[in-house]
Amino acid sequence: MHLSICLVWLTQIIFPLVGSDCGCSVNRNGEKDRNNLYSGNNNEQCSVENISDKVEDEQRSNEMMVLVPGGEYQYGTDDIVIENDNEGPKRIVKVKSFFLDKYEVSNQDFKHFTRVTNYKTEADIFGDSFVFALFLNNTFKEKIKDFRVAQATWWYKVFGANWNHPFGPDSSITDVMDHPVIHVSWNDAKAYCKWRRARLPTEIEWEAACRGGHQDIKYPWGNKLFPERQYKANIWQGTFPHHNSAKDNFVGTNPVELFPQNDFGLHNMAGNVWEWTEDAWTEDDPKEKVKKGGSYLCHHSYCYRYRCSARSHNTIDSSAGNLGFRCAKSI
């Protein structure tokens, strides 16, 4: 292969670094060296094999996406539940056709990304992330009780927690490779999507996709939370935050392919993990980003945010055990 072709390819693949709360959002405040996000060798020789792998990765990426056709979609709602979240009013907006991942990005997906790029997440660099109390034993919780989130004491800052060690340094993802990756910041999600030559969806795109082409429905599947007594999403069952009955069969995350898809063929648009979007929470603070969909920790009595119009936010460098993403691609 000619060197010029190799250089053009690398130019396309290598990308620059992205430099009223109920406890759904756990934000970190800190500084770190953004130059350490990548530990790979930038002088790695370009080979036919490497390029072939990249082509195969992109083809696989495209196959895992579904088309959201352009048209007029509902954004927001007049049936507002949480006033401070600015869920409304309902608007009809025009959306251009785009592709969206059929599934949330899995541990297997993210592991492949880190193996190929040597990417280091912000939780890796900070050395910690936020873990829900239910996944920590009492002895350990007592040792780190001073590292709880003041407004939501069921969240603990755990040193050594990251995407590969979701509950601390002694945990692993070996048995949950098909579950969504967690402990990824907005910056991490952006980096992954850009590596796939994709991007994060805008909030409007995400919400249009959530309703599957319908209007005036609360959930991706309709208006009834448990139609025909069937569980359609992984959300908290029981009394938050002390008891999860796991009637939906999951205390934590579930495999990304599980639970019925909506009419666009998208899985887990509600529950499981929060999903980052491209958009800022307010124009005044571009470092606070919107997340959508709720998570396995959401309950009607506490965090009723597994509705399509519901929204919350975190800072761009924050990570937690219920925060993931999926990628979009323009046409």
Side-chain angles (χ1 to χ4, degrees), residues 22 24 81-82 87 218-219 223 225 298-307 310:
C22 66
C24 289
V81 176
I82 305 175
E87 298 178 350
K218 289 183 178 180
Y219 314 112
N223 283 317
L225 182 57
C298 285
H299 186 269
H300 189 282
S301 67
Y302 157 71
C303 181
Y304 185 30
R305 290 185 171 95
Y306 41 85
R307 297 165 291 111

Side-chain angles (χ1 to χ4, degrees), residues 61-273:
S61 169
N62 292 338
E63 290 171 358
M64 299 304 290
M65 294 184 129
V66 298
L67 174 68
V68 178
E72 293 187 341
Y73 290 91
Q74 176 183 345
Y75 172 54
T77 181
D78 289 330
D79 183 19
I80 296 172
V81 176
I82 305 175
E83 291 280 352
N84 291 339
D85 284 356
N86 298 317
E87 298 178 350
K90 171 183 172 181
R91 286 165 279 172
I92 303 300
V93 296
K94 290 185 178 180
V95 177
K96 294 181 179 180
S97 297
F98 67 99
F99 289 102
L100 187 65
D101 281 349
K102 187 174 183 177
Y103 310 111
E104 292 159 331
V105 174
S106 70
N107 283 317
Q108 183 64 55
D109 297 329
F110 202 78
K111 181 178 181 179
H112 178 63
F113 164 62
T114 60
R115 178 181 62 81
V116 171
T117 63
N118 290 315
Y119 183 83
K120 300 296 182 184
T121 65
E122 302 207 84
D124 289 318
I125 295 170
F126 278 114
D128 59 63
S129 190
F130 293 96
V131 178
F132 188 71
L134 199 63
F135 304 113
L136 305 172
N137 65 55
N138 291 332
T139 301
F140 186 57
K141 285 190 291 188
E142 180 63 25
K143 289 181 180 179
I144 61 172
K145 63 182 180 181
D146 293 334
F147 295 93
R148 289 177 292 177
V149 177
Q151 298 83 4
T153 55
W154 45 85
W155 282 110
Y156 289 75
K157 179 185 284 189
V158 176
F159 296 95
N162 54 48
W163 74 273
N164 202 26
H165 303 283
F167 310 128
D170 295 331
S171 62
S172 77
I173 57 172
T174 302
D175 296 330
V176 290
M177 296 304 290
D178 58 348
H179 287 226
V181 65
I182 52 179
H183 297 295
V184 285
S185 70
W186 184 86
N187 288 321
D188 298 329
K190 286 276 288 185
Y192 173 89
C193 290
K194 196 162 188 179
W195 169 74
R196 273 183 46 189
R197 307 179 84 175
R199 58 177 175 80
L200 288 173
T202 66
E203 183 180 5
I204 288 177
E205 287 176 333
W206 192 99
E207 194 165 323
C210 182
R211 292 191 178 89
H214 302 284
Q215 291 190 19
D216 296 319
I217 61 172
K218 289 183 178 180
Y219 314 112
W221 54 85
N223 283 317
K224 292 184 178 180
L225 182 57
F226 303 118
E228 300 177 356
R229 297 184 179 180
Q230 293 182 345
Y231 290 100
K232 297 288 190 176
N234 177 11
I235 56 177
W236 188 277
Q237 308 294 323
T239 305
F240 188 89
H242 303 294
H243 173 65
N244 188 342
S245 65
K247 289 183 178 180
D248 55 10
N249 294 320
F250 296 96
V251 174
T253 59
N254 63 261
V256 297
E257 298 183 13
L258 204 62
F259 289 103
Q261 60 195 18
N262 71 2
D263 285 349
F264 280 158
L266 299 163
H267 291 255
N268 293 290
M269 293 295 285
N272 211 20
V273 294

Side-chain angles (χ1 to χ4, degrees), residues 268-284:
N268 293 290
M269 293 295 285
N272 211 20
V273 294
W274 283 100
E275 298 181 13
W276 287 113
T277 72
E278 176 65 32
D279 295 341
W281 181 251
T282 66
E283 294 181 358
D284 298 332

Side-chain angles (χ1 to χ4, degrees), residues 24-86:
C24 289
S25 306
V26 281
N27 295 328
R28 69 163 82 248
N29 294 301
E31 298 296 332
K32 70 283 179 191
D33 183 0
R34 295 295 304 166
N35 294 325
N36 287 334
L37 285 175
Y38 280 90
S39 59
N41 181 2
N42 291 334
N43 296 320
E44 181 181 0
Q45 183 178 359
C46 180
S47 67
V48 174
E49 289 79 12
N50 288 339
I51 292 176
S52 176
D53 288 344
K54 291 182 175 70
V55 171
E56 185 177 339
D57 286 340
E58 185 170 0
Q59 289 174 341
R60 187 183 304 113
S61 169
N62 292 338
E63 290 171 358
M64 299 304 290
M65 294 184 129
V66 298
L67 174 68
V68 178
E72 293 187 341
Y73 290 91
Q74 176 183 345
Y75 172 54
T77 181
D78 289 330
D79 183 19
I80 296 172
V81 176
I82 305 175
E83 291 280 352
N84 291 339
D85 284 356
N86 298 317

Side-chain angles (χ1 to χ4, degrees), residues 2-14:
H2 294 298
L3 179 60
S4 60
I5 297 177
C6 179
L7 290 175
V8 169
W9 181 271
L10 287 177
T11 300
Q12 294 173 334
I13 295 297
I14 303 301

